[in-house]
């Protein structure tokens, strides 16, 4: 076990572990948390502010050369892609810390959006990868190119490195690009592999680690297979899928998911269990309810999410339009659409 003063082994000092069996983890409330969307599937310059959401101005990126435009300039617009990344900034007792949660699909998309949003990547103190799929990890390449040699902890689950493919009916197998362990270590990242929950920044942030699958109806990612022991084996649970938890003083938990392969209900219930049933203030991220395999789950998931009574629901990335509509109809003003560049002040 680690204490606040004695981090274990060679683990980065920002990271603490607590493996003692206990009902709750002593996650300390923070004064505030800001979640800035660096990458998502959608941009929308006309999206209005709503609740805790502040939208980026249309001209935030300034101008860039464009020969076909009169005057030779066009807006340097934020870019979207099928991927996810948020910058999480926590403030407690006057101290401020920044965590990058996921890094998007393209090598340069997230760092380019950082430039447009005037976010300095040198301020990032830790990186958490929700899971090993490329639409959440490829942007590490751009971060390495921008920062050069880095000394940052990257928190992952041991299954993060698995070689995987998907098998959809009527289609050829499609292998999923996986992240290179060698590339990360040579770049200077300190890779922290854990199945168990981990603390960041003196118990201000909790990474769930492996999430128990308790609902019985959230199936993971059934088409997925992994290369294990010399052959392809079913790997539907995506056990490396983990969430980030922050407890905001006098408000409750902010739970951030990547794809939600573990199940958004499993994740939110686990977050509450880890923290002594703290109320749910906001859930932000991918809920993976898109496509014919997952859309039948929408009514059940929405009902269960409503029973958790979050103040705000921000479905993103792989949630899917049908689930977005269902959540909007059920939650009203508590449903906040996400866009690249949105800043949530929670």
């Amino acid at each position: 076990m680690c204490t606040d003063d004695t981090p274990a082994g060679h683990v980065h000092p920002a990271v603490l572990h607590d493996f003692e069996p206990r009902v709750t983890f002593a996650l300390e409330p923070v004064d505030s948390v800001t979640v800035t969307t660096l990458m998502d599937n959608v941009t929308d310059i006309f999206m209005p502010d709503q609740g805790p959401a502040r939208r980026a101005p249309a001209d935030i990126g300034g101008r860039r050369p464009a020969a076909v435009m009169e005057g030779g300039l066009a807006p340097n617009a934020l870019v979207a892609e099928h991927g996810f990344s948020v910058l999480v900034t926590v403030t407690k007792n006057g101290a401020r810390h920044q965590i990058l949660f996921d890094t998007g699909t393209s090598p340069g998309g997230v760092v380019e959006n950082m430039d447009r949003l005037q976010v300095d990547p040198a301020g990032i103190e830790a990186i958490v990868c929700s899971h090993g799929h490329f639409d959440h990890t490829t942007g590490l390449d751009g971060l390495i190119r921008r920062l050069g040699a880095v000394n940052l902890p990257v928190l992952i689950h041991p299954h993060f490195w698995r070689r995987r493919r998907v098998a959809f009916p009527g289609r050829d197998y499609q292998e999923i690009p996986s992240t290179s362990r060698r590339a990360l270590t040579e770049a200077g990242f300190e890779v922290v592999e854990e199945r168990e929950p981990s603390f960041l920044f003196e118990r201000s942030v909790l990474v769930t680690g492996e999430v128990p699958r308790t609902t019985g109806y959230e199936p993971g990612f059934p088409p997925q297979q992994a290369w294990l022991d010399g052959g392809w084996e079913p790997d539907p649970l995506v056990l490396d899928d983990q969430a980030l938890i922050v407890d905001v003083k006098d408000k409750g938990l902010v739970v951030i998911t990547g794809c939600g392969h573990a199940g958004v209900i499993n994740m939110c219930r686990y977050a509450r269990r880890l923290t002594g049933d703290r109320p749910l203030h906001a859930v932000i991220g991918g809920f993976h309810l898109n496509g014919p395999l997952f859309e039948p789950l929408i009514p059940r998931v929405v009902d269960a999410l409503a029973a958790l009574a979050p103040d705000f629901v921000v479905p993103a990335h792989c949630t899917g339009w049908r689930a977005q509509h269902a959540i909007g109809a059920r939650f009203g003003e508590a449903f906040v659409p996400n866009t690249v560049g949105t800043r949530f002040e929670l």
Side-chain angles (χ1 to χ4, degrees), residues 50-250:
Q50 178 188 339
R54 301 292 175 266
R55 311 299 181 178
D59 60 351
I60 193 167
R63 302 278 171 150
R64 62 180 172 183
V68 299
M69 306 304 294
E70 290 288 349
L73 295 173
N76 187 22
L78 293 164
V79 297
E81 61 190 26
H82 181 85
F84 190 67
S85 177
V86 293
L87 181 71
V88 182
T89 304
V90 296
T91 304
K92 182 175 71 173
N93 300 327
R96 179 174 173 270
H97 298 288
Q98 290 189 322
I99 306 109
L100 182 64
F101 183 81
D102 286 347
T103 64
T105 299
S106 65
V110 164
V111 291
E112 290 170 11
N113 281 340
M114 284 183 179
D115 289 343
R116 297 173 178 112
L117 293 167
Q118 299 172 25
V119 171
D120 183 359
I124 296 167
E125 299 170 72
I127 299 171
V128 177
C129 290
S130 63
H131 62 300
H133 289 166
F134 70 94
D135 49 331
H136 300 258
T137 66
T138 310
L140 288 167
D141 182 274
L143 201 64
I144 292 168
R145 294 174 187 272
R146 177 62 56 85
L147 295 176
V150 292
N151 180 25
L152 291 175
V154 179
L155 280 69
I156 62 169
H157 183 283
H159 287 192
F160 175 89
W161 308 110
R162 282 189 168 183
R163 180 185 171 192
R164 286 161 162 162
R165 70 180 186 181
V166 288
F168 291 110
R171 301 187 194 177
D172 293 335
Y173 291 110
Q174 184 174 358
E175 189 157 344
I176 302 172
S178 55
T179 305
S180 164
R181 183 194 301 265
R182 179 179 176 182
L184 296 194
T185 55
E186 288 184 350
F189 288 112
E190 184 166 1
V191 178
V192 182
E193 298 184 31
E194 292 294 352
R195 296 175 183 269
E196 303 293 335
S198 299
F199 285 109
L200 285 166
F201 310 123
E202 298 178 346
R203 301 180 182 272
S204 297
V205 178
L206 183 60
V207 182
T208 62
E210 194 168 305
V211 176
R213 312 305 169 90
T214 58
T215 61
Y217 57 82
E218 294 175 294
F221 193 37
Q224 181 172 269
Q225 299 176 352
W227 183 263
L228 302 170
D229 299 323
W232 290 104
E233 300 289 343
D235 184 31
L237 294 182
V238 200
L239 290 178
D240 47 321
D241 194 60
Q242 55 187 1
L244 197 72
I245 309 170
V246 183
D247 187 358
V248 183
K249 189 180 298 182
D250 301 324

